[in-house]
Amino acid sequence: MKSKESFYITTPIYYVNDIPHLGTAYCTVAADVLARFERLMGKDVHFLTGTDEHGEKIQEAAAKLGKSPQEFTDQVAETFRSTWKKMGITFDDFIRTTEERHKKVVIHLIKKAMSQGDIYLGNYEGWYCVPDESFWTDSQLVNGKCPNCGRDVKKIKEENYFFKVSKFTGQLLNHIEANPTFILPESKKNEVVAFIKEGVRDVSVSRTSFNWGIPFPSDAEAKSSHHVIYVWFDALINYVSALSPLDKPETFKKYWGTESAPRTIHLLGKDILRFHAVYWPCFLLSVGLPLPKRIFATGWWTIEGQKMSKSLGNTVEPLAFTAQYGQDAFRLFLFREFPMGQDGDFNIKNFKERSNADLANNLGNLVSRSFNLIQKNLEGIIQAPLSNSEIQTTIDTAATQFNFNAMETFSYNEVLKSIFAILLGMNKYIDTKAPWTLAKDPAKKEELKSVLYSVAEGLRIASLFLWPFIPYTCEEIQNRLGQSSLQDVLTDKISFQEAVKWGSMKEATIKMGGPLFPRLQ
Ligand code: ME8
């Protein structure tokens, strides 16, 4: 068997001072969509998520609850893992930065950068934003607050190790220029380029004023014996450490990729793009590892027009929300309305309108009316007709001309728009063909069979394209149609291309079922 192309997708690892919310669910579901899609494409997918458990913020959060940091992080990490599981997120690995497998790679890589002469000892004096775990200069502050999150900053003065970012920024700029889709979306790439061109200061890679972190490799020069690795460098390395480069170099190479064939896609929010698109690539250049293939920054959600925040109490809790409205309606809404690189507003009115329009009225209605017609007029049996139907060409063309690249560049809303337009077209096709009238005329039996077969076949094909987005519904549609093409693709019995070929539907007896989606008031 031909070996599969490998594919590696990561989400940010989430801070355990908070529980999963709309923002973290967004990135995680977005990564799940692409992971599922690439599996359909026959790739050997490795999908990583996890938790970011060190640093001042976590130490403070644990102390507030009177817990040890380890006890606290064990608990919240489990909440993340189980929430994603319950939401059907198909991650292959879940990394925690307090795990030994992670720590040893962090130490190894920091030592490597030190041996390259890229880390030096110095003193930091400036501002620090604990919620963002980020350093700021006087001139960067906005009205004395953190320019990223607007919260209070504190003055710190401590001995730190620094990483020579500036040594690598020229090389990074060349890479960005030579690889136009390395950082996406374009507008965010331009911001990164402008930031680099202004001149990037070397960044701290250790902290000394608290101790909840990975101890910095000892160095005789240090005056303070309490250096812990700065949480951002600890955290970024998770993408490498999870692949066990020291113990399983072949696995690492397979998923991480090489310079000429990079495999890694990092998905993250725009708030943390600088860490991912500047510091992280420079660090990788220092330690001699290939750069990722793509870094995509998602936009930011507001809720009912307001910034999402714990103090406003307006956060959307994904488990509660999906328990009420269903996983697929939630998943669809995340990507249907707004391009992923832009900010969006999570608004319950829009959510309901979108669910009703796409899911209840369009897809749900298509399933229920076509199944009723097949049941009533063809004894529930779908059988290939003798002649082609007009809709065949539309669906065939859409399937063969599908913009596969749009998925890897996260143009999910474009993809969804075109699929739902086809479903709408299928509903119109039923209206025009009026199979209920054809059924009255025995001479039109073949035509009736052809119309109903076409709709069923269209639904089968659509369920393959839609599966990454609304998996539960698509599996149900395949099941009701008595088809296994989705399973056959996922178990490598057939390719996706074969599965979406018009006419591959097996003769089957349909299973009737209730409405797929309730109409929301
Ligand atoms: O930053 N809208 O973790 P984090 C959209 N541990 N996305 C949002 C959002 C919102 N309102 N709020 C949060 C960290 N996010 C670090 C990452 S990676 C090596 C370390 C999403 O728990 C967004 O993707 O603060 C953001 O990047 C992520 O949550 C940060 O989660």
Side-chain angles (χ1 to χ4, degrees), residues 11-18 21-28 51-53 57 80 131-132 151 231-232 234-239 267-273 275-276 298-303 307-308 343-344:
T11 71
I13 48 169
Y14 304 114
Y15 284 128
V16 289
N17 66 312
D18 207 344
H21 53 63
L22 173 66
T24 45
Y26 179 45
C27 232
T28 311
T51 39
D52 190 352
E53 305 184 4
K57 165 158 87 168
F80 272 94
D132 273 359
R151 285 174 283 200
V231 64
W232 264 104
D234 167 348
L236 288 162
I237 294 172
N238 90 87
Y239 302 132
L267 185 61
L268 43 120
K270 64 175 184 180
D271 56 320
I272 54 174
L273 180 60
F275 291 101
H276 285 80
T298 69
W300 205 243
W301 284 99
T302 50
I303 295 185
K307 202 175 157 181
M308 177 171 80
D343 294 343

Side-chain angles (χ1 to χ4, degrees), residues 93 151 179 214 248 413:
D93 191 7
R151 285 174 283 200
N179 298 276
I214 303 174
K248 298 183 204 152
N413 72 321

Side-chain angles (χ1 to χ4, degrees), residues 118-120 124 135 137 161-169 199-205 233 279:
D118 297 334
I119 286 178
Y120 60 91
Y124 176 81
F135 297 93
T137 61
Y161 282 96
F162 288 85
F163 171 61
K164 285 185 189 164
V165 186
S166 46
K167 183 173 159 187
F168 302 98
T169 46
V200 183
R201 296 155 56 101
D202 291 347
V203 60
S204 295
V205 284
F233 275 76
Y279 302 135

